[in-house]
Amino acid sequence: MTTLWTEKYRPTTLAEYVFKNTAFKQKMEEWIRTGEIPHIGFFGPAGTGKTSAIKVLINGLVENGFIDPTDVTILNMSDEGMDAVRDKIATTAQLSSFGNYRIFVLEEMEQMSLKSQGSLKRIMEDFHENARFILTSNEQHKIIKPIISRVQSIMIEKHDPDEFTTRIIEILINEGVELDTEESLDLVNKYIKCTFPDFRKTLNTLQSSVVDGKLVKLEDSIDSTASYRAAIIDALQAGNIRQMRELIVQNIPEDEIDGFFSFLYRNVDMFTTDEIKEMKIKVKIRDAVVKQANVSDREMNLSALLCEIDLICNDQM
């Protein structure tokens, strides 16, 4: 049976987890040492280590005898609704725990309706002595303020690009992937360019793109997101933004549009090396993100943004 790289290389202990700041590391050490944890919110971009941090925390609490594995309930709120709040959370929160308290891990909290969040807030208040809630979200602003005010917020920052690349290469070497040529290393960097800062996405894409110990060309990858982003990068590097605009509008999936704005922002240096133009493009991307929530035709908004970028790069705006 094939082992998923994302699980094989997921950290399970404090020693294995890569902390991005000292304060976060010290707080995790304190929680595991004392067993005294508040309600916690882990926030940040997808694939930056939120779920891994929770696993490290829970493993440490179990190892030190503060909780029992049966005290932990994990729910992905993108799959749950009001019934889950009532039947799976409220009911369980009232039960006695084998350890010091029960833990509810609620992932993708931004997917919960406002009504469901309101009900959860009351449960957090009523059963705070018997239950601790650990939330994760890529979009903290979609969680109601009364819940945010009841958790200790931990912002999981993006990976350092160099450390990210180094770790990916280490994993590929460990998995026996051939990386003995400059061309193969350039290909790895191209994959990373399409998926950074989502470490999970990068590993999944790479694992699915290794055939007989070699990485296939990105355009041949079975990952459609990486494939069209690779085509876009090629168009950018060829200086053909207009070709890129047509490619995006024709091929981008609806659920990829929001993430694509972040992709453009991270790679703005591919449009131009002029600092002023880069600043103008970043402002235009910001404006398009703001408009995206209200426009009726999301593809039109994205296409208009790319037209503006084209004009900026050609000194016409």
Side-chain angles (χ1 to χ4, degrees):
M1 185 174 68
T2 301
T3 301
L4 292 176
W5 290 358
T6 52
E7 296 307 317
K8 182 177 180 180
Y9 294 100
R10 184 187 295 278
T12 58
T13 66
L14 281 171
E16 295 173 348
Y17 190 84
V18 179
F19 289 92
K20 302 179 184 71
N21 65 71
T22 304
F24 179 29
K25 180 180 181 180
Q26 292 174 340
K27 183 54 68 176
M28 286 278 282
E29 290 172 340
E30 177 185 313
W31 286 337
I32 290 173
R33 183 180 68 254
T34 65
E36 297 178 3
I37 70 169
H39 300 314
I40 307 169
F42 288 102
F43 306 117
T48 50
K50 299 186 293 296
T51 300
S52 294
I54 293 172
K55 188 168 187 176
V56 168
L57 175 59
I58 289 176
N59 285 349
L61 293 172
V62 170
E63 185 176 342
N64 287 344
F66 295 116
I67 63 170
D68 186 87
T70 59
D71 293 329
V72 181
T73 299
I74 301 175
L75 297 171
N76 188 311
M77 303 317 293
S78 64
D79 302 323
E80 308 288 355
M82 181 61 78
D83 289 345
V85 175
R86 181 180 63 250
D87 300 334
K88 297 181 181 180
I89 300 177
T91 301
T92 307
Q94 301 177 56
L95 301 176
S96 299
S97 60
F98 288 96
N100 294 358
Y101 42 75
R102 291 188 171 276
I103 290 181
F104 292 88
V105 178
L106 308 182
E107 299 197 280
E108 298 188 38
M109 267 291 296
E110 72 276 3
Q111 301 290 340
M112 288 185 73
S113 68
L114 296 180
K115 185 176 181 180
S116 297
Q117 290 188 41
S119 297
L120 177 64
K121 175 188 73 71
R122 290 190 292 273
I123 295 171
M124 294 172 71
E125 293 172 346
D126 294 342
F127 301 106
H128 66 276
E129 292 184 357
N130 191 53
R132 299 291 184 274
F133 289 84
I134 302 178
L135 321 177
T136 76
S137 177
N138 304 337
E139 301 176 88
Q140 182 183 356
H141 63 279
K142 292 185 178 180
I143 302 175
I144 61 175
K145 291 182 179 179
I147 287 182
I148 294 296
S149 68
R150 285 167 173 76
V151 303
Q152 179 162 343
S153 295
I154 303 294
M155 298 302 300
I156 306 294
E157 303 167 2
K158 294 178 182 178
H159 301 278
D160 175 81
D162 292 336
E163 292 180 358
F164 187 100
T165 300
T166 299
R167 181 56 178 154
I168 290 296
I169 291 176
E170 288 175 350
I171 291 172
L172 291 173
I173 291 174
N174 191 59
E175 292 297 328
V177 179
E178 293 184 19
L179 297 177
D180 52 358
T181 66
E182 186 174 339
E183 182 181 1
S184 62
L185 290 173
D186 287 343
L187 183 56
V188 173
N189 284 323
K190 197 170 183 180
Y191 270 97
I192 291 173
K193 196 83 169 177
C194 293
T195 51
F196 181 85
D198 192 331
F199 194 79
R200 181 174 57 249
K201 173 73 170 176
T202 304
L203 278 188
N204 281 332
T205 301
L206 286 169
Q207 185 172 15
S208 68
S209 304
V210 173
V211 178
D212 295 329
K214 295 182 180 181
L215 268 176
V216 301
K217 292 182 178 179
L218 197 51
E219 55 268 28
D220 297 328
S221 170
I222 63 174
D223 187 297
S224 58
T225 300
S227 297
Y228 85 75
R229 287 189 178 181
I232 289 165
I233 290 173
D234 288 341
L236 279 171
Q237 292 177 337
N240 197 336
I241 299 176
R242 292 171 191 178
Q243 173 191 333
M244 181 190 69
R245 185 176 72 246
E246 294 174 0
L247 179 69
I248 293 171
V249 174
Q250 291 171 4
N251 296 290
I252 189 167
E254 173 68 19
D255 60 358
E256 270 288 313
I257 293 180
D258 290 340
F260 189 70
F261 285 115
S262 297
F263 171 73
L264 290 178
Y265 190 87
R266 291 195 307 271
N267 294 291
V268 69
D269 60 324
M270 290 193 298
F271 291 105
T272 177
T273 56
D274 184 279
E275 184 177 356
I276 300 301
K277 289 181 180 179
E278 284 191 10
M279 292 169 62
K280 289 181 178 180
I281 291 171
K282 287 182 176 181
V283 171
K284 290 298 182 183
I285 295 173
R286 187 279 314 273
D287 291 346
V289 170
V290 172
K291 293 174 183 176
Q292 193 73 351
N294 300 314
V295 297
S296 57
D297 190 328
R298 289 157 59 84
E299 287 187 359
M300 183 184 297
N301 184 47
L302 180 56
S303 182
L305 167 64
L306 295 171
C307 288
E308 290 178 318
I309 291 175
D310 192 356
L311 294 172
I312 289 172
C313 290
N314 287 285
D315 297 313
Q316 296 175 341
M317 177 177 281

